[in-house]
């Protein structure tokens, strides 16, 4: 068992609060990914969990036991650092066995565990090498191996793949997913990479400014973001935001007049809105369609297009000057400066009120209440 | 400090390191025929002036010393300069001062090295963490290095160690003990102490800067692996410092082999030969007995000894310098 519970955790450095009260529950065997903009405190939270920083207030429980003040080595956690932090003068096998030999484990036992980890990570032929004689991916695997041999309850990863090239990153991502299944371990993983977050996570935690914005499965965050921040943060290319005001609203629909011209009636619960309120419409690139200029009242002018083969990301500018991204088919032939119009998929649009909160679907608020 | 001496010493060591290991990229990777004859000649022409100067700089004094060492050449008997072969070497090596000088040189170098490296490491580790007034403490730690050897030896001799008016004597008396005449009773130990006092800051300076390049995440990883302060020091910090320690040992050895001012100002090599090292012995031969021939022979012996020492040093510590981390 390894359930991690964080209760109202706060951390400040020299008076400035970095972590502003975090509550989080991580279940046994879960793969949890932390995402958030740079400087929002993801690494700090990870270091707090590992015990490398002292908490200012709040509690961390592992399996019901309060580990807030327990020494790092006694917490039964292992961390993989972004820079790997391998011991440069020790061989690969020494790197991996360091913790065990410090703990005074039996020689045969150490060797068995190192062999086992090396087998899982395919490092067997490198055991006698020094870290400097390894490639980036191999170093990464040694760093993971160092964590594995300790059989920790929770693995902590701080952007472990960010120093690798794109191809290696894909490969290591798959290996991590395999490792998670094979070890059946609880893992907490910090990343800046959307793809890593979406593919690896059972649960994604979105941070912003030292607070949790939303917790949920990758698809839940994608389809039902709680607020504008999460909606804009999850998904690449980013969701586009269009300003507008409410024309009419009731519990079954909201009619919005966008600043760039068109009016749309969205099937959302607008009972909290009244005519004239400022709102923001959010629409993802994949929920927009480009049509001939006369097909729709949503007039745009084409900007640059990025041809990726299977898809084309076409940037378009509205009449009020907002820049949107549209995901078009790979053979899209629109030219720079051409006039066109957009047809949004209204069922997948999001509407955010003046405070950035997402409007619920009709009936959803009734269920919540 | 003698900067040019340091530089030439270092270049010599570097040359030796490279020639031994054959690791210099140019030396090992260059294939014959890849550089055209023409550009090679230009290259030769470009470096030849500096090579010529260096050659003249080194070869002329060396040749003169060699020549003098084979003559009976005493300034007290001008006009007399017979060729005497290796007689000077024979007399120098069998002089009762030589054995004592060699032993003292060895003791001086080894003890000062040990003291300065050990305390250098400890001090560097101690002042690595943040504490109030760290900047001032660091500057104070390094400052003895900037004091001229003669001055520091005089300060030690007259202000600190003097059996009547010294600070230590006052301290001894305060506790009711009999003041110690340090330079008379423990002459070599006292000189070792003075020289160590001068060279610890050098070790601290190098090791302190080396400490700053120790990866914080490595220490964090060690902490997670269950390493306490002592284990971290032993398994992480010390290996990290191996290379700077090698540098400290090499540079200090070069300078410690030729310690002179401290001995000259404090004990004058005495009592007897107790604090005479080779450099001081050569000085006594050349300038107190005006025997240029004998002093030249002694100088050559010292050069040979220094090279033997350097050879073994490079064998021992040079490897960690050429190893790329
Ligand atoms: N030891 C420290 N002393 C003072 N401030 C710190 C310290 N460590 C982190 N901070 C501050 O805390 C904030 C959060 O840092 P943290 O490293 O947790 O961000 P992050 O979310 O991991 O960012 P990134 O994605 O760029 O790695 C930053 O503003 C940083 O300046
Ligand atoms: Mg970080």
């Amino acid at each position: 068992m390894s359930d991690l519970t964080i209760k109202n955790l706060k951390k400040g450095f020299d008076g400035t609060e970095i972590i502003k009260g975090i509550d989080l529950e991580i279940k046994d065997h879960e793969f949890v990914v932390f995402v958030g903009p740079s400087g929002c405190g993801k690494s700090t939270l990870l270091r707090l969990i590992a015990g490398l920083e002292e908490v200012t207030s709040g509690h961390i429980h592992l399996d019901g036991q309060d580990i807030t003040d327990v020494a790092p080595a006694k917490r039964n956690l292992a961390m993989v650092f972004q820079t790997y932090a391998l011991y440069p003068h020790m061989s690969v096998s020494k790197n991996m066995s360091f913790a065990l030999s410090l703990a005074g484990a039996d020689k045969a036992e150490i060797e068995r565990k190192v062999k086992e980890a090396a087998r899982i990570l395919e490092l067997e032929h490198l055991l006698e090498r020094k870290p400097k004689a390894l490639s980036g991916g191999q170093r990464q695997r040694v760093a993971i191996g160092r964590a594995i041999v300790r059989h920790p309850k929770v693995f902590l990863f701080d952007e472990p793949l960010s120093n690798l090239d794109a191809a290696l990153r894909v490969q290591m991502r798959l290996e991590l997913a395999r490792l998670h299944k094979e070890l059946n371990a609880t893992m907490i993983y910090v990343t800046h990479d959307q793809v890593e977050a979406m593919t690896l996570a059972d649960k994604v935690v979105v941070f912003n400014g030292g607070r949790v914005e939303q917790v949920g499965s990758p698809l839940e965050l994608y389809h039902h973001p709680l607020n504008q921040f999460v909606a804009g943060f999850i998904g690449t290319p980013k969701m586009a935001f269009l300003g507008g005001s409410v024309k009419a609203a009731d519990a079954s629909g909201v009619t919005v007049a966008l600043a760039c011209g068109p009016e749309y009636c969205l099937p959302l619960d607008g009972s909290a809105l009244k005519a004239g309120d400022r709102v923001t419409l959010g629409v993802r690139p994949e929920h927009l369609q480009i049509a001939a200029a006369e097909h729709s009242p949503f007039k745009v002018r084409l900007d640059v297009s990025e041809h990726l083969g299977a898809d084309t990301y076409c940037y378009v500018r509205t009449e009020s000057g907002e820049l949107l991204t549209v995901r078009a088919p790979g053979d899209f032939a629109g030219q720079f400066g051409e006039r066109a119009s957009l047809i949004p998929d209204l069922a997948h649009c999001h509407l955010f009120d003046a405070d950035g909160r997402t409007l619920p679907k009709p009936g959803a608020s009734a269920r919540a209440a | 400090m003698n900067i040019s001496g340091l530089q030439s010493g270092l270049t010599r060591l570097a040359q030796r390191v490279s020639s031994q290991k054959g690791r210099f990229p140019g030396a090992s990777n260059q294939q014959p025929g890849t550089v055209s004859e023409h550009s090679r000649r230009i290259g030769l022409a470009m470096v030849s002036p500096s090579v010529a100067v260096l050659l003249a700089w080194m070869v002329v004094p060396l040749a003169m010393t060699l020549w003098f060492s084979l003559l009976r050449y005493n300034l007290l008997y001008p006009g007399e300069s017979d060729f005497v072969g290796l007689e000077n070497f024979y007399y120098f090596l069998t002089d009762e001062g030589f054995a004592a000088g060699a032993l003292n040189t060895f003791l001086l170098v080894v003890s000062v090295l040990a003291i300065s490296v050990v305390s250098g490491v400890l001090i560097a580790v101690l002042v690595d963490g943040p504490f109030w007034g760290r900047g001032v403490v660091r500057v104070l730690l390094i400052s003895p290095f900037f004091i001229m050897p003669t001055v520091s030896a005089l300060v030690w001799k007259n202000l600190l160690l003097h059996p009547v008016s010294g600070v230590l004597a006052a301290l001894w008396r305060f506790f009711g003990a009999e003041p110690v005449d340090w330079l008379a009773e423990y002459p070599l130990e006292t000189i070792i102490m003075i020289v160590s006092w001068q060279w610890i800051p050098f070790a601290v300076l190098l090791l302190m800067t080396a400490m700053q390049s120790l990866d914080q995440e490595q220490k964090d990883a060690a902490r997670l692996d269950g390493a306490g302060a002592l284990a971290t020091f032993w398994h992480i910090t010390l290996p990290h410092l191996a290379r700077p320690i090698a540098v400290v040992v090499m540079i200090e050895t070069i300078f410690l082999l030729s310690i002179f001012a401290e001995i000259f100002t404090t004990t004058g090599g005495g009592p007897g030969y107790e604090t005479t090292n080779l450099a001081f012995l050569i000085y006594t031969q050349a300038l107190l007995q005006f025997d240029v021939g004998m002093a030249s022979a002694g100088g050559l012996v010292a050069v040979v000894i220094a090279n033997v020492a350097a050879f073994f040093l490079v064998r021992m510590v040079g490897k960690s310098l050429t190893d790329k981390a």
Side-chain angles (χ1 to χ4, degrees):
Chain A
M1 280 296 289
S2 40
D3 291 325
L4 191 74
T5 313
I6 295 170
K7 283 189 191 139
N8 196 19
L9 193 70
K10 291 186 183 169
K11 171 70 184 174
F13 288 110
D14 320 313
T16 40
E17 207 167 49
I18 301 296
I19 303 284
K20 299 166 183 163
I22 283 184
D23 292 285
L24 199 60
E25 271 195 41
I26 291 164
K27 301 236 163 47
D28 200 17
H29 305 331
E30 249 181 346
F31 199 120
V32 180
V33 173
F34 290 178
V35 294
S38 195
C40 67
K42 305 177 297 287
S43 300
T44 307
L45 180 58
L46 217 57
R47 292 172 60 83
L48 286 170
I49 296 174
L52 295 172
E53 304 278 357
E54 273 178 44
V55 306
T56 306
S57 71
H59 291 278
I60 306 170
H61 295 266
L62 184 60
D63 288 344
Q65 186 201 350
D66 191 339
I67 57 165
T68 319
D69 298 317
V70 175
K74 301 247 154 59
R75 292 188 180 200
N76 235 327
L77 309 165
M79 185 153 170
V80 176
F81 295 87
Q82 180 175 354
T83 57
Y84 315 142
L86 299 180
Y87 311 126
H89 52 278
M90 296 186 199
S91 67
V92 167
S93 67
K94 283 264 164 49
N95 259 287
M96 294 210 271
S97 62
F98 186 56
L100 297 177
S101 43
L102 276 180
D106 168 57
K107 274 238 165 54
E109 173 77 2
I110 293 177
E111 187 162 338
R112 194 183 58 73
K113 283 184 173 165
V114 169
K115 281 260 161 60
E116 169 74 7
R119 186 191 58 75
I120 295 176
L121 295 166
E122 294 162 20
L123 286 170
E124 281 139 319
H125 57 296
L126 302 173
L127 281 178
E128 292 317 312
R129 294 240 191 121
K130 292 271 174 68
K132 68 182 173 202
L134 298 178
S135 75
Q138 289 165 341
R139 283 179 209 187
Q140 183 57 62
R141 291 211 292 268
V142 176
I144 296 172
R146 204 165 58 176
I148 290 179
V149 291
R150 295 176 49 200
H151 290 291
K153 287 187 172 173
V154 182
F155 285 88
L156 307 172
F157 294 93
D158 193 354
E159 305 191 30
L161 307 187
S162 58
N163 286 350
L164 304 181
D165 71 50
L168 202 51
R169 204 141 60 192
V170 173
Q171 186 197 335
M172 287 303 296
R173 199 170 75 212
L174 291 174
E175 286 190 29
L176 276 173
R178 179 175 61 87
L179 207 61
H180 178 231
K181 298 276 184 295
E182 195 166 333
L183 299 176
N184 216 353
T186 309
M187 293 186 170
I188 304 179
Y189 188 100
V190 173
T191 183
H192 273 184
D193 189 316
Q194 292 263 336
V195 184
E196 278 171 33
M198 300 303 271
T199 52
L200 289 172
D202 296 317
K203 187 154 97 182
V204 178
V205 183
V206 183
F207 287 93
N208 186 24
R211 280 182 222 284
V212 175
E213 292 282 349
Q214 191 174 357
V215 181
S217 74
L219 287 185
E220 202 177 324
L221 296 190
Y222 177 82
H223 289 298
H224 308 291
L226 277 182
N227 53 41
Q228 192 174 342
F229 176 81
V230 176
F233 197 80
I234 300 288
T236 37
K238 274 169 63 115
M239 179 186 277
F241 296 114
L242 301 165
S245 58
V246 176
K247 266 273 173 89
D250 60 32
S252 63
V254 183
T255 308
V256 192
L258 292 181
C260 52
E263 269 180 35
Y264 289 111
C265 182
L266 298 157
L268 294 169
D269 183 352
S271 43
L273 296 176
K274 58 184 189 305
D277 280 353
R278 302 218 58 81
V279 288
T280 306
L281 179 86
V283 54
R284 296 189 189 278
E286 48 271 43
H287 299 138
L288 284 169
Q289 214 185 327
I290 298 187
E294 62 280 3
H295 267 268
S296 146
F298 194 165
K299 307 279 185 246
V300 293
R301 196 180 275 279
L302 300 188
D303 209 282
V304 291
S305 301
E306 293 175 341
H307 294 275
L308 301 179
D311 295 311
T312 302
Y313 289 122
C314 182
Y315 295 87
V316 303
R317 203 171 282 283
T318 65
E319 287 180 343
S320 53
E322 290 147 311
L323 195 65
L324 307 185
T325 317
V326 180
R327 181 171 159 194
D331 53 3
F332 178 73
Q335 291 298 314
F336 182 87
E338 226 173 87
R339 293 189 161 282
S341 67
L342 294 181
I343 304 171
D345 177 356
L346 295 183
H348 285 107
C349 286
H350 301 274
L351 206 58
F352 307 99
D353 65 17
D355 298 329
R357 281 190 302 262
T358 311
L359 289 193
K361 296 258 187 270
S365 65
R367 248 183 288 137
Chain B
M1 278 298 125
N2 177 351
I3 297 300
S4 72
L6 172 64
Q7 278 174 347
S8 72
L10 281 178
T11 18
R12 245 181 296 146
L13 276 171
Q15 282 161 358
R16 217 162 275 139
V17 169
S18 67
S19 65
Q20 267 197 355
K21 300 285 168 203
R23 284 266 189 85
F24 261 26
S28 55
N29 297 345
Q30 207 174 73
Q31 283 162 12
T34 50
V35 183
S36 78
E37 188 63 22
H38 178 68
S39 63
R40 187 155 48 206
R41 233 177 307 150
I42 291 187
L44 216 60
M46 298 300 243
V47 297
S48 53
S50 52
V51 171
V53 168
L54 260 179
L55 267 182
W57 192 269
M58 288 178 62
V59 168
V60 172
L62 187 65
M64 281 174 71
T65 314
L66 263 173
W67 176 237
F68 289 159
S69 71
L70 302 176
L71 301 180
R72 174 176 300 135
Y73 183 5
N74 194 313
L75 299 178
L76 291 180
Y77 311 104
E80 195 181 331
S81 55
D82 306 335
F83 185 85
V84 291
L86 295 178
E87 202 176 71
N88 283 322
F89 289 91
Y90 175 77
Y91 283 125
F92 184 79
L93 290 175
T94 52
D95 188 283
E96 56 168 337
F98 175 74
L103 180 67
N104 287 336
T105 307
F106 176 78
L107 286 177
L108 196 62
V109 170
V110 170
S111 351
V112 175
L113 272 182
I115 293 173
S116 64
V117 166
V118 170
S119 13
V121 169
L122 293 180
I123 293 174
V125 170
L126 278 180
V127 300
D128 189 50
F131 58 89
W132 191 84
R134 184 169 70 165
V136 177
V137 169
R138 287 184 164 188
V139 172
L140 285 179
L141 276 173
I142 299 167
S143 53
F145 195 52
F146 300 118
I147 298 173
M148 274 183 270
T150 347
V151 175
S152 84
L154 280 174
V155 167
W156 274 96
K157 183 183 179 184
N158 295 334
L159 295 180
L160 295 173
L161 301 176
H162 197 278
V164 178
S165 57
V167 172
L168 288 188
L171 200 67
W172 254 240
R173 272 194 295 272
F174 179 80
F175 287 106
E178 183 74 17
V180 182
D181 188 353
W182 294 93
L183 285 164
E185 287 172 49
Y186 310 101
L188 188 61
E189 289 85 344
T190 308
I191 288 190
I192 288 174
M193 178 171 73
I194 296 174
V195 177
S196 300
W197 181 82
Q198 283 188 312
W199 282 95
I200 287 173
F202 176 73
V204 170
L205 180 67
L206 251 71
L207 299 174
M208 203 161 65
T209 34
M211 282 300 290
Q212 288 169 347
S213 67
L214 179 52
D215 183 16
Q216 180 61 38
E217 286 199 338
Q218 246 179 60
K219 285 192 264 181
D220 287 343
R223 247 175 95 199
L224 273 174
D225 275 347
L230 219 60
T232 308
F233 174 76
W234 191 252
H235 294 289
I236 309 295
T237 312
L238 218 48
H240 174 77
L241 291 180
R243 190 191 287 243
I245 286 176
V247 174
V248 169
V249 168
M250 283 196 160
I251 295 180
E252 284 198 6
T253 307
I254 295 169
F255 283 99
L256 294 177
L257 277 172
S258 58
I259 286 291
F260 178 80
E262 291 82 345
I263 297 173
F264 182 76
T265 18
T266 52
T267 61
Y273 283 112
E274 269 185 58
T275 54
T276 299
N277 66 351
L278 287 180
F280 198 82
L281 187 65
I282 294 164
Y283 158 78
T284 25
Q285 299 287 357
L287 284 168
L288 299 187
Q289 296 168 20
F290 300 100
D291 192 340
V292 177
M294 179 95 106
S296 299
L300 287 174
V301 170
V303 166
V304 170
I305 290 179
N307 273 277
V308 169
F311 177 80
F312 283 110
L313 263 182
V314 168
R315 267 292 173 85
M316 283 191 299
V317 294
K319 193 172 173 303
S320 76
L321 282 180
T322 47
D323 254 4
K324 292 188 196 70

